[in-house]
């Protein structure tokens, strides 16, 4: 079983790189030339045709070499690689959409790396859900809302989207948040799972070293600041407030649910750890000990 799942991880890498190959479209014509025209080219008729042909060719290739579940993995990884590649093109083009390019890279890399790291640390739990693309209806609504807000504000108050210093702050939040989350996943190893576990596995141990020595829930801390950082990067004031409130509420409830299981699994060991190390999230202390 594990061998098959490790294979899926390798397939995801190949497919991600195939999708990322979209960057060759502008590079073919920009060799030794400035990239100031790239955005206009790709949003024009020729650019759209070139991208459509590229997607069709790559998808056809994946359909030929992968079947069934493997194709489902490949097409998702390829889509995320394609999105990352488009984000890179926009980021390095002379356009006012540069910060949205950063966002595209951040979002696609986050989802792809969730799958890849899971394939490395806990292949037995690996599934299509490990991409977190279908995390929840609320997550999808939040993402679409941020795109709508960015577009509306860019068309009505474009100067709001040119606060480069604020976007840089958001980029730092995104990079640090994702780094912390992936560090937590790698440190926890096979103990990490995207789904809160209600039954203790034989291999399940209490992890208190590495980033867990500083935060009880480092993966949630990373995701919390990553999500808010994406909106700071886009200079989306409405979504900054909305993401902060929604993420805080989600992780407060998630942490309380998870800590009930952890107290059940590890009893006094976890209670002692809980006394020494905070959750890492503002105004969230976790489940009350006297209510356990």
């Amino acid at each position: 079983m594990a061998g098959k799942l490790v294979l899926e991880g390798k397939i995801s890498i190949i497919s991600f790189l195939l999708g990322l190959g979209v960057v060759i479209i502008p590079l073919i014509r920009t060799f030794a030339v400035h990239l100031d025209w790239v955005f206009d080219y790709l949003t024009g008729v020729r650019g759209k045709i070139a991208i459509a042909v590229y997607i069709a060719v790559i998808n056809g290739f994946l359909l030929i070499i992968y079947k069934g579940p493997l194709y489902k993995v490949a097409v998702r990884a390829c889509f995320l690689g394609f999105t990352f590649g488009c984000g890179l093109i926009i980021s390095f083009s002379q356009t006012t959409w540069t910060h949205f390019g950063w966002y595209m890279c951040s979002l696609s890399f986050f989802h792809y790396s969730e799958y890849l790291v899971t394939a490395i640390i806990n292949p037995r739990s690996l599934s299509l859900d490990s991409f977190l693309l279908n995390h929840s209806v609320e997550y999808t609504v939040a993402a679409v809302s941020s795109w709508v807000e960015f577009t509306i504000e860019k068309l009505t108050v474009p100067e709001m989207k040119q606060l480069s210093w604020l976007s840089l702050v958001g980029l730092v939040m995104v990079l640090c948040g994702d780094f912390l989350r992936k560090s937590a996943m790698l440190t926890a190893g096979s103990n990490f799972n995207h789904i809160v576990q209600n039954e203790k596995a034989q291999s399940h141990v209490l992890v208190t070293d590495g980033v867990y020595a500083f935060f009880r829930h480092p993966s949630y801390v990373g995701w919390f600041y990553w999500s808010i950082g994406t909106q700071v990067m886009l200079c989306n004031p409405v979504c900054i407030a909305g993401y902060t409130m929604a993420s805080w509420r989600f992780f407060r409830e998630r942490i309380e649910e998870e800590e009930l299981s952890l107290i059940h699994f590890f009893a006094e060991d976890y209670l002692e750890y809980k006394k020494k190390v905070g959750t890492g999230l503002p105004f969230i202390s976790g489940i009350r000990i006297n209510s356990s």
Side-chain angles (χ1 to χ4, degrees), residues 38-50:
V38 170
F39 185 77
D40 291 334
Y41 170 73
L42 290 179
T43 54
V45 175
R46 289 186 175 182
K48 291 177 181 177
I49 292 176

Side-chain angles (χ1 to χ4, degrees), residues 133-208:
L133 290 172
N134 57 338
H135 180 268
S136 65
V137 174
E138 292 81 3
Y139 184 83
T140 302
V141 171
V144 174
S145 297
S146 72
W147 308 338
V148 172
E149 180 184 354
F150 181 86
T151 303
I152 291 176
E153 291 173 351
K154 190 177 188 312
L155 294 175
T156 56
V157 280
E159 62 276 7
M160 179 187 295
K161 301 305 179 185
Q162 298 307 308
L163 301 175
S164 296
W165 66 270
L166 186 59
S167 292
L168 282 172
V169 170
L171 179 60
V172 171
M173 291 177 65
V174 163
L175 293 175
C176 292
D178 203 14
F179 177 78
L180 177 59
R181 178 168 172 81
K182 298 310 184 293
S183 296
M185 293 173 68
L186 291 169
T187 301
S190 60
N191 295 284
F192 183 90
N193 199 301
H194 284 118
I195 301 174
V196 175
Q197 301 297 290
N198 296 316
E199 295 183 7
K200 182 181 178 182
Q202 291 184 348
S203 60
H204 203 173
V205 298
L206 179 60
V207 181
T208 60

Side-chain angles (χ1 to χ4, degrees), residues 12-154:
S12 75
I13 295 175
I14 296 172
S15 302
F16 183 86
L17 293 175
L18 286 173
L20 181 60
V22 69
V23 298
I24 67 174
I25 295 177
L27 291 180
I28 290 175
R29 296 190 55 190
T30 58
F31 183 71
V33 181
H34 293 297
L35 294 171
D36 55 344
W37 60 274
V38 170
F39 185 77
D40 291 334
Y41 170 73
L42 290 179
T43 54
V45 175
R46 289 186 175 182
K48 291 177 181 177
I49 292 176
I51 289 177
V53 170
Y54 182 82
I55 292 174
V57 170
I58 296 301
N59 186 59
F61 176 72
L62 294 177
L63 277 170
I64 292 173
I65 61 175
Y66 300 126
K67 305 297 181 182
L70 295 183
Y71 171 74
K72 293 180 180 179
V73 170
V75 75
R76 284 164 174 75
C78 183
F79 166 74
L80 292 171
F82 172 78
T83 303
F84 188 88
C86 289
L88 282 179
I89 293 172
I90 296 173
S91 297
F92 287 99
S93 300
Q94 297 298 320
T95 172
T96 57
W97 290 82
T98 298
H99 300 149
F100 196 81
W102 295 0
Y103 169 80
M104 292 174 66
C105 290
S106 303
L107 187 66
S108 56
F109 182 77
F110 172 83
H111 285 286
Y112 173 68
S113 59
E114 287 289 308
Y115 185 90
L116 181 62
V117 173
T118 302
I120 295 171
I121 64 170
N122 195 3
R124 291 186 179 279
S125 71
L126 191 66
S127 69
L128 291 177
D129 291 338
S130 299
F131 283 110
L132 297 185
L133 290 172
N134 57 338
H135 180 268
S136 65
V137 174
E138 292 81 3
Y139 184 83
T140 302
V141 171
V144 174
S145 297
S146 72
W147 308 338
V148 172
E149 180 184 354
F150 181 86
T151 303
I152 291 176
E153 291 173 351
K154 190 177 188 312

